[in-house]
Amino acid sequence: MPVRLNAALTALLAAALFGATTPVAKLLLGTLSPFMLAGLFYLGSGVGLGLAILVRRTVRSGQAQEHDAQIHQSEIPWLAGAIAAGGVAGPALLMLGLGSTPAATGSLLLNLEGVFTAVIAWVVFRENVDLQIFLGMVAIVAGGVLLSWTGGTVGFPIGALLIAGACACWAIDNNLTRKVSTNDAMVIACLKGLVAGPVNLVIAHWLGASMPAAGHVAAAMATGFAGYGVSLVLFVVALRNLGSARTGAYFSVAPLFGVVLSLALWPAMPPPLFWCAAALMAIGIWLHLRERHEHPHTHEPLQHTHKHRHDEHHQHEHDFEWDGAEPHTHPHRHVPITHTHAHFPDIHHRHSHSHSH
């Protein structure tokens, strides 16, 4: 239970930080163009995490640095694809779509990210799903729909299709990032920010925007560091422990945190739909937390690098002098093993389910 709660809380904290950026963006959007704001958010994320990485490396011992995780050459295409889809194509499609789409419709359509993430995880990457997890996902998405519903007719003009395309890009990003989630989450998030930030700023300048005053730049970059940077680090850690579909479901709760912060900034009595949405999301989270997926399964030989303890999945010798400190990071090999225990589709349990359990 502690592992499950820790993983779920990590994903929910990522959602809270990301959701909180929406009302802050609303405060800043009066002075900044959407692409400029997105660029500064991403740039703040990349620069802030880059500085954090430098600080971390200076305080670590030489022994720890020697065994830091390095992104393997074979994983670079996955990471590049994630950055291109989620950091470049996604924001571009969203901003283009919002230009011709009512805000209410846009908010509703953003709920598609969680759905697309789960569908890709289940259909393409074969993550396991049972009825309880599916119903939990439905409840969370339904809560998101209610949260952003303002009545009226939801049409599907070209703008709406562009927003749906943005959600599909972020879903692809989530699933591709899962493929590199064993690596240093801070490095992954930093690289995304350092690439996506300048790209969005170039688009902003191409569309005629000019760099805002230093105070607005600092505010936007600080917000991006917390809401995009730290949030993404937590998201990658959650992907490592929960898989794409479940992490995406928890992350779909982000709008709820945004509404709560909005109510704190602009006090008002929440409408009845808010309470209905909160209840549905709570039910969805509860269904996910009570999941127990257990069956005999075989671990194939595997070699990778990530922070770990010497638990039942990590019984290996060290080819370097080890002081017994845990958790620690170094390249290690998993030998084949067959056993039975409750598990998630994490980095050690991405096996197929060819029969019912």
Side-chain angles (χ1 to χ4, degrees):
M1 189 63 176
V3 174
R4 179 180 308 182
L5 275 177
N6 285 339
L9 288 174
T10 300
L12 288 172
L13 183 54
L17 286 170
F18 183 76
T21 61
T22 302
V24 176
K26 184 177 177 181
L27 287 171
L28 293 170
L29 263 178
T31 55
L32 303 179
S33 72
F35 274 109
M36 179 64 71
L37 188 59
L40 291 173
F41 275 177
Y42 277 114
L43 192 62
S45 164
V47 171
L49 290 175
L51 292 173
I53 291 169
L54 288 175
V55 170
R56 183 182 65 183
R57 286 183 176 173
T58 58
V59 299
R60 279 186 175 179
S61 65
Q63 176 72 42
Q65 288 183 30
E66 184 182 344
H67 300 290
D68 271 353
Q70 300 291 326
I71 295 176
H72 195 272
Q73 188 172 354
S74 64
E75 296 174 319
I76 291 177
W78 296 113
L79 181 57
I83 293 173
V88 180
L93 289 173
L94 175 65
M95 298 308 172
L96 291 171
L98 286 177
S100 60
T101 307
T105 304
S107 297
L108 280 171
L109 290 166
L110 288 176
N111 291 294
L112 288 173
E113 180 185 347
V115 178
F116 288 159
T117 297
V119 169
I120 292 172
W122 295 336
V123 175
V124 179
F125 293 102
R126 302 296 182 184
E127 279 191 16
N128 68 286
V129 56
D130 56 24
L131 181 61
Q132 182 170 287
I133 290 298
F134 176 76
L135 292 176
M137 181 76 205
V138 169
I140 290 172
V141 171
V145 169
L146 280 184
L147 201 61
S148 48
W149 181 258
T150 59
T153 304
V154 177
F156 289 94
I158 186 65
L161 293 176
L162 288 170
I163 294 175
C167 291
C169 286
W170 287 321
I172 293 169
D173 173 15
N174 294 339
N175 280 280
L176 294 183
T177 300
R178 168 190 183 269
K179 302 288 286 186
V180 297
S181 61
T182 57
N183 293 286
D184 189 328
M186 203 176 287
V187 171
I188 292 172
C190 177
L191 289 173
K192 281 190 174 185
L194 291 179
V195 172
V199 168
N200 281 279
L201 289 177
V202 167
I203 295 174
H205 283 290
W206 180 66
L207 293 174
S210 56
M211 191 62 73
H216 288 127
V217 170
M221 290 183 68
T223 302
F225 172 64
Y228 280 36
V230 178
S231 173
L232 183 54
V233 171
L234 295 170
F235 185 85
V236 173
V237 172
L239 280 175
R240 186 184 301 163
N241 294 316
L242 293 172
S244 303
R246 287 155 183 79
T247 304
Y250 286 123
F251 202 71
S252 297
V253 180
L256 187 67
F257 293 106
V259 172
V260 170
L261 183 57
S262 293
L263 292 172
L265 292 172
W266 300 282
M269 176 60 70
L273 283 181
F274 170 82
W275 301 111
C276 294
L280 279 169
M281 288 181 167
I283 290 170
I285 292 171
W286 175 73
L287 285 170
H288 277 241
L289 285 177
R290 67 189 298 271
E291 174 194 15
R292 186 171 179 84
H293 179 76
E294 183 172 346
H295 61 91
H297 57 277
T298 299
H299 294 265
E300 301 297 332
L302 175 68
Q303 184 162 339
H304 58 187
T305 305
H306 67 95
K307 187 176 288 188
H308 61 277
R309 298 178 183 275
H310 282 205
D311 55 20
E312 60 182 324
H313 294 101
H314 296 91
Q315 299 295 325
H316 52 254
E317 300 296 325
H318 293 103
D319 57 1
F320 57 90
E321 189 176 338
W322 177 46
D323 60 6
E326 291 187 329
H328 56 270
T329 304
H330 63 89
H332 56 276
R333 177 176 172 79
H334 294 269
V335 297
I337 180 176
T338 300
H339 59 182
T340 303
H341 64 95
H343 59 276
F344 300 111
D346 59 23
I347 56 175
H348 298 111
H349 298 93
R350 292 178 178 169
H351 48 258
S352 60
H353 295 76
S354 56
H355 53 85
S356 59
H357 308 298

